[in-house]
Amino acid sequence: MADISPAPAFTCGLDATLRVIAGKWKPLIVYFLAQSPNRYGELKRAVRGVSDKMLIQQLKELEADGLVSRTDYREVPPRVDYALTPLGRSLSEALAPLCAWGSDNMEEVSRVFAERETWTRKSASS
């Protein structure tokens, strides 16, 4: 008989949220699905830089976690849509202030990252 461990204990609500959206791509996937349901190819174009393997993995995890629904229309050529569930939509609403913060501070964040890149290059050449 398989040993089934209890659900992970979270230290707080933020811990639970961060575990659900852990990874570089999940928040972006949720962001783009909040705009409208998308087919795989649309998501791949929207989430620039993600590999096929990683996008598929992240979508499967979001679906398993109840945040994304996948509709397979059983057509040829294949047509599959991804959309947020009500739980996923509530997460997207919680992420909205982070999106606003990023938009409001994009110039400053870009400057800080450029400085960090300069420090990194100096450290590597030393």
Side-chain angles (χ1 to χ4, degrees):
M1 193 153 102
D3 181 28
I4 300 174
S5 39
F10 302 114
T11 57
C12 63
L14 181 60
D15 183 20
T17 303
L18 291 175
R19 288 196 206 184
V20 167
I21 61 169
K24 180 177 180 179
W25 307 109
K26 286 181 185 177
L28 292 171
I29 293 167
V30 170
Y31 172 81
F32 288 112
L33 290 179
Q35 314 308 308
S36 68
N38 278 273
R39 293 176 68 178
Y40 178 85
E42 294 170 313
L43 275 175
K44 178 81 167 105
R45 285 186 294 278
V47 184
R48 289 179 281 170
V50 68
S51 68
D52 284 314
K53 177 185 176 190
M54 189 55 65
L55 181 56
I56 290 166
Q57 178 184 329
Q58 301 282 274
L59 283 166
K60 284 182 179 178
E61 289 176 13
L62 287 167
E63 184 180 9
D65 293 342
L67 300 169
V68 169
S69 64
R70 179 182 186 275
T71 304
D72 185 345
Y73 293 94
R74 307 260 184 231
E75 295 176 355
V76 177
R79 181 168 69 113
V80 176
D81 285 337
Y82 295 92
L84 292 180
T85 63
L87 183 63
R89 183 139 317 274
S90 70
L91 176 60
S92 76
E93 292 167 4
L95 292 174
L98 290 175
C99 293
W101 183 90
S103 295
D104 293 346
N105 295 286
M106 199 173 296
E107 191 173 307
E108 178 69 10
V109 171
S110 294
R111 186 190 62 71
V112 168
F113 281 5
E115 278 182 28
R116 184 187 300 169
E117 181 63 28
T118 302
W119 300 333
T120 304
R121 274 184 273 157
K122 285 181 183 175
S123 298
S125 65
S126 299

